[in-house]
Amino acid sequence: MSIKLSKLVDSLIESSPPVELKEVSNLINKLTNDQSIIDDSILSFIEENGIIYQDYIISNLNKDKQSSKYIDYIRKQLFNVDFKQGKIIDLEDYAPNQQYPDYFDDLVDKLEQYGQDYYPSTFASTIIPNEDSIHVILIGQRSNNANFYTGQWNSKYTIKSNGEISGKIKLDIHYFEDGNVRLKFNEGVTGSIDNLTSSNILNFINNQESKIILKLIENFNNLNQQQFKNLRRLLPVTRSNINWGNAIGNYRLGSDVVNKK
Amino acid sequence: MSDEDKLDSSLSLLRRLDPRVIESNLTNICTLLGSDDSVVEELLSSVDVPLKIQTCKQSGKDYLCCDYNRDADSYRSPWSNKYYPEIEDNDEELPPPYPSSILRQLEIKANDSFDIYRDLYYEGSGVSSVYLWDTSENEDSGLDDGFAGVVLFKKETSDSLGKWDSNHVFEVIPESEHRILYKLTTSVILDLNSNEMNLSLSGNLIRQLETSQLVELNNGINLETQHLINLGQLIEKSEYNIRNLLQDVYFDKLKDIMLKDLRSIGDIKEKKYEDSKQSELIKGLNSV
């Protein structure tokens, strides 16, 4: 039962909004009291997706292989997370073995500035140095329960030492006033830069994200103008409300009115 | 934990989780609830999932399936009043439910009317179905003691990327000899998917509306027709409202959250500057 149960809980939690894990965990706990299965499942969701707690990012990319903790390569710290309290715990100093690229510190500053300029809510960024590449994670998230919504913008890039860049951008918004509406978006980006400098890296990221935002707006408009309008008209072709009652059959007689698009 | 708590938690959970996979989430939650048959049953009847289409063998027309026209695994067609798959006559089990004959007459007319409504608003495509059921213990009361029903519409765009399911459940309650209360709950499931990028907007909104109407039978309109007019107008108004609301939430609210809360389109500093300039401009205009 427990393997089956953990699969089932995984599948529920996979469809949770990234910023509502605490609430989802509490609700599932009321249906099954196996809290350890829920905790495991929530943690793997957090690692897979990447989420900000306080101003630390948790993801499988900065997971320490030796301990069960996570590494902040910028602040040179190890830490853990208590997602129920929404808190970072067990902070300790850490001396990374990885070689940092020479643009590292400058990129840290530029990402911080970029976050301030383009991410209006909670923002965090982190860089994970590897042997011949770095990972950059940028997350902007918002929880606005008073106005019934939460959302997260989440982008991850891998920048190789030869200048090749690949990335994945995800957007997930949940609106829940008298209903349950969800926006989900994800798209991969690839490209390359000539010189590995912090400016070139930041410009690449900024250009890609700005392009995607513009494309998203265009797609919003297309979905509105085409799909939504084609599903149900605001008013009939006659531009007036239906004349209900015995006369309604007249619409059938004038079937050209009914079938004209 | 009480049954009520379990039901509330299940419903709250479904309001949080991705509405696009509501069917599999619902199945999983029912498995978690396990032996709590009554909670499972209550949950299944209070959650809207995309409607299934079935074909009526007698009329050849499509109709929609929901909890209100279901008996075991069979669904009653509004066109022929027959259940499909057909239910064998069996002395040991109760016969499947049918509306009383007076209510069935109204149901036939309501299906005709809302089929015309579907033609007009859904541009000749989609499927509609209306099901009515008696709410009075007294079988001979006709329409006088009130009744209840559901009006359903389902439509997909030709490329199947857009889907609309609307579900109007109503109750007709006589308040006095000349006054009738119509209580309506409308929910629409709307699923939209871009053909250019991996973008989906999906979910459901629910709203309630009611109206109390005077019954005037002296100008040649009988009670049956009066119900058709009142229900038609109420549902037309409610669907108009919820369509506007969907437009507002899907295309304005979500876009606003994206741009104002998560990733702005331009530099926020410039935006703040322009916002303050614009509010000054508006102040200026107002004082003109």
Side-chain angles (χ1 to χ4, degrees), chain A residues 5-126:
Chain A
L5 180 65
S6 74
K7 269 196 171 163
L8 198 153
V9 171
D10 280 351
S11 146
L12 289 172
I13 286 172
E14 268 166 33
S15 78
S16 166
V19 195
E20 294 170 42
L21 288 170
K22 188 176 121 188
E23 291 83 354
V24 166
S25 161
N26 288 341
L27 289 167
I28 297 179
N29 178 263
K30 292 189 175 156
L31 305 178
T32 169
N33 39 27
D34 202 332
Q35 187 63 41
S36 74
I37 283 183
I38 302 172
D39 287 351
D40 287 352
S41 180
I42 295 262
L43 207 59
S44 64
F45 179 96
I46 293 173
E47 289 176 0
E48 180 64 32
N49 190 83
I51 295 178
I52 304 174
Y53 285 100
Q54 292 180 315
D55 56 349
Y56 287 79
I57 286 179
I58 318 236
S59 116
N60 50 17
L61 295 172
N62 62 335
K63 196 176 180 177
D64 183 23
K65 289 184 182 70
Q66 271 80 51
S67 63
S68 62
K69 291 185 154 187
Y70 305 91
I71 306 168
D72 187 317
Y73 288 92
I74 299 173
R75 285 177 274 212
K76 299 199 169 80
Q77 288 173 330
L78 281 177
F79 60 95
N80 235 320
V81 62
D82 178 346
F83 72 84
K84 276 179 222 126
Q85 305 288 328
K87 271 187 179 159
I88 293 302
I89 50 171
D90 304 340
L91 267 175
E92 60 177 298
D93 288 341
Y94 174 69
N97 299 319
Q98 279 85 345
Q99 184 80 37
Y100 285 30
D102 49 10
Y103 58 77
F104 188 92
D105 288 345
D106 201 32
L107 185 58
V108 170
D109 293 344
K110 285 205 163 69
L111 289 173
E112 186 51 41
Q113 186 59 46
Y114 175 66
Q116 282 178 26
D117 291 347
Y118 289 95
Y119 287 63
S121 305
T122 305
F123 169 79
S125 62
T126 195

Side-chain angles (χ1 to χ4, degrees), chain A residues 250-261:
Chain A
N250 295 346
Y251 291 102
R252 279 271 153 80
L253 297 174
S255 62
D256 50 329
V257 176
V258 169
N259 293 319
K260 194 159 54 184
K261 296 215 168 166

Side-chain angles (χ1 to χ4, degrees), chain A residues 103 159 161-163 165 192-201:
Chain A
Y103 58 77
I159 299 138
S161 51
N162 64 4
I165 304 182
S192 65
I193 50 177
D194 291 339
N195 290 312
L196 267 191
T197 64
S198 57
S199 310
N200 284 348
I201 293 171

Side-chain angles (χ1 to χ4, degrees), chain B residues 24-261:
Chain B
S24 66
N25 284 339
L26 189 58
T27 309
N28 284 334
I29 289 172
C30 289
T31 311
L32 283 183
L33 292 168
S35 53
D36 276 316
D37 284 348
S38 61
V39 184
V40 167
E41 205 163 295
E42 180 92 30
L43 181 65
L44 288 174
S45 70
S46 35
V47 175
D48 291 322
V49 295
L51 299 159
K52 302 253 180 314
I53 299 177
Q54 218 162 272
T55 305
C56 170
K57 283 190 188 142
Q58 185 173 311
S59 66
K61 288 178 83 172
D62 285 343
Y63 67 98
L64 297 167
C65 305
C66 69
D67 221 37
Y68 300 109
N69 66 329
R70 184 177 69 88
D71 187 61
D73 296 326
S74 296
Y75 293 91
R76 185 169 64 90
S77 161
W79 314 119
S80 63
N81 206 22
K82 290 206 165 108
Y83 279 88
Y84 299 103
E86 281 169 53
I87 296 173
E88 298 286 319
D89 271 340
N90 186 334
D91 289 342
E92 282 157 39
E93 283 171 48
L94 283 168
Y98 292 97
S100 60
S101 67
I102 288 177
L103 200 59
R104 174 61 190 157
Q105 290 311 307
L106 180 60
E107 189 183 73
I108 292 171
K109 290 181 180 130
N111 273 287
D112 269 352
S113 295
F114 282 102
D115 198 39
I116 290 167
Y117 173 99
R118 179 195 53 74
D119 259 344
L120 292 165
Y121 278 99
Y122 295 86
E123 310 202 78
S125 62
V127 182
S128 66
S129 297
V130 182
Y131 302 105
L132 304 182
W133 58 94
D134 299 87
T135 50
S136 167
E137 298 289 315
N138 176 8
E139 288 186 6
D140 302 323
S141 67
L143 302 177
D144 295 341
D145 287 356
F147 58 94
V150 62
V151 179
L152 308 166
F153 302 97
K154 184 183 183 71
K155 183 179 167 181
E156 273 186 29
T157 54
S158 50
D159 57 11
S160 292
L161 291 171
K163 296 186 179 104
W164 168 291
D165 285 87
S166 64
N167 191 321
H168 307 269
V169 182
F170 60 83
E171 222 180 321
V172 179
I173 306 159
E175 290 181 307
S176 67
E177 204 184 330
H178 297 293
R179 192 161 271 286
I180 302 174
L181 177 68
Y182 296 86
K183 288 174 80 169
L184 175 69
T185 301
T186 292
S187 100
V188 174
I189 304 176
L190 176 64
D191 183 19
L192 304 172
N193 296 278
S194 164
N195 56 2
E196 289 167 51
M197 59 201 312
N198 198 351
L199 169 70
S200 66
L201 314 177
S202 58
N204 67 291
L205 293 178
I206 302 170
R207 286 297 184 274
Q208 279 163 343
L209 194 64
E210 58 177 63
T211 177
S212 173
Q213 297 282 339
L214 266 180
V215 191
E216 299 162 78
L217 299 176
N218 46 10
N219 48 2
I221 299 176
N222 63 16
L223 183 61
E224 194 181 53
T225 308
Q226 194 86 45
H227 283 314
L228 286 172
I229 294 172
N230 292 339
L231 285 168
Q233 286 172 348
L234 183 66
I235 287 169
E236 185 175 21
K237 182 176 174 194
S238 179
E239 210 172 70
Y240 177 87
N241 291 349
I242 208 162
R243 187 195 180 280
N244 283 337
L245 197 68
L246 285 161
Q247 166 121 11
D248 188 42
V249 168
Y250 276 58
F251 302 109
D252 297 333
K253 282 236 164 72
L254 291 178
K255 193 162 69 183
D256 267 8
I257 296 168
M258 171 173 87
L259 297 177
K260 290 183 183 152
D261 290 284

